[in-house]
Amino acid sequence: MPLGTWLKAGTSATALALAMAGPATAATAPTGESSAARAAAVTLRYDDSRAAGWEAAIAAGTASWNANVSNVQLVEAAPGTVAEIVIVATTGWPQATLGPVRPGGQVRVELGSQAVDQGYNKTRIAAHELGHSLGLPDTKPGPCSQLMSGSSAGTACTNAIPNATERSRVQSAYASAIAALVPTDGRTLVDAP
């Protein structure tokens, strides 16, 4: 097949995949990334309007993910708009729907005060539960250096930064428009010790 035919077929396939992917939006990528990489970033909106008392932890948790991955960015949803990640405060143990959530889909994060009452760090809880929404399961038991080790790292652990493996898994989950077609797992993961 001539090169021109291959290029035309590849361009058509890419356009089809992007059209089917839904509203992927460009987000700011770390310095040094190409404009193509920035354009491919998926923006996921979160609604924390029912998470009173967790605002600072949610802001720090989303900032941690946004600083450490470039294929997906988390932004606060404008009031009255539909969000892919719905965050609520509860009195139970933290839990979340296992993603990866896609634009137009929806998962739920419950930030439970029972864990805080037992001494667990709010920012680590928020970042950990958001990790579930991005497709990461628990890695229990695990060290404090693994964000997804959750409560198994103990109450002294305040690490809210995903490690290299966790970052790589999220980057892979949101690596292309074709990946946007993969549905979420749908399971709810409860993070009680």
Side-chain angles (χ1 to χ4, degrees):
M1 182 182 292
L3 178 60
T5 304
W6 277 103
L7 291 174
K8 184 176 178 182
T11 302
S12 297
T14 301
L16 176 62
L18 290 172
M20 293 173 52
T25 317
T28 304
T31 305
E33 284 200 31
S34 70
S35 59
R38 285 191 299 273
V42 173
T43 297
L44 298 175
R45 296 162 301 200
Y46 67 88
D47 174 3
D48 64 354
S49 63
R50 295 184 293 158
W54 287 85
E55 296 87 352
I58 293 166
T62 58
S64 176
W65 280 109
N66 288 343
N68 284 285
V69 295
S70 60
N71 286 348
V72 63
Q73 294 291 289
L74 305 174
V75 298
E76 189 169 3
T81 62
V82 177
E84 287 83 13
I85 304 171
V86 176
I87 306 172
V88 298
T90 69
T91 57
W93 274 95
Q95 57 185 313
T97 309
L98 181 60
V101 66
R102 303 297 179 198
Q106 193 169 73
V107 295
R108 181 177 170 98
V109 168
E110 295 184 10
L111 300 176
S113 63
Q114 192 171 356
V116 177
D117 294 345
Q118 291 194 16
Y120 291 96
N121 178 270
K122 278 183 146 181
T123 300
R124 179 172 167 84
I125 292 168
H128 174 91
E129 298 306 326
L130 288 166
H132 288 319
S133 297
L134 298 175
L136 298 177
D138 287 315
T139 55
K140 294 180 179 182
C144 183
S145 61
Q146 291 177 344
L147 176 59
M148 299 314 293
S149 67
S151 61
S152 71
T155 57
C157 180
T158 61
N159 174 43
I161 300 170
N163 68 19
T165 300
E166 294 162 335
R167 291 189 304 267
S168 176
R169 289 186 69 190
V170 170
Q171 286 287 98
S172 293
Y174 292 93
S176 70
I178 302 248
L181 303 175
V182 178
T184 63
D185 182 287
R187 289 182 292 153
T188 298
L189 303 178
V190 179
D191 289 304

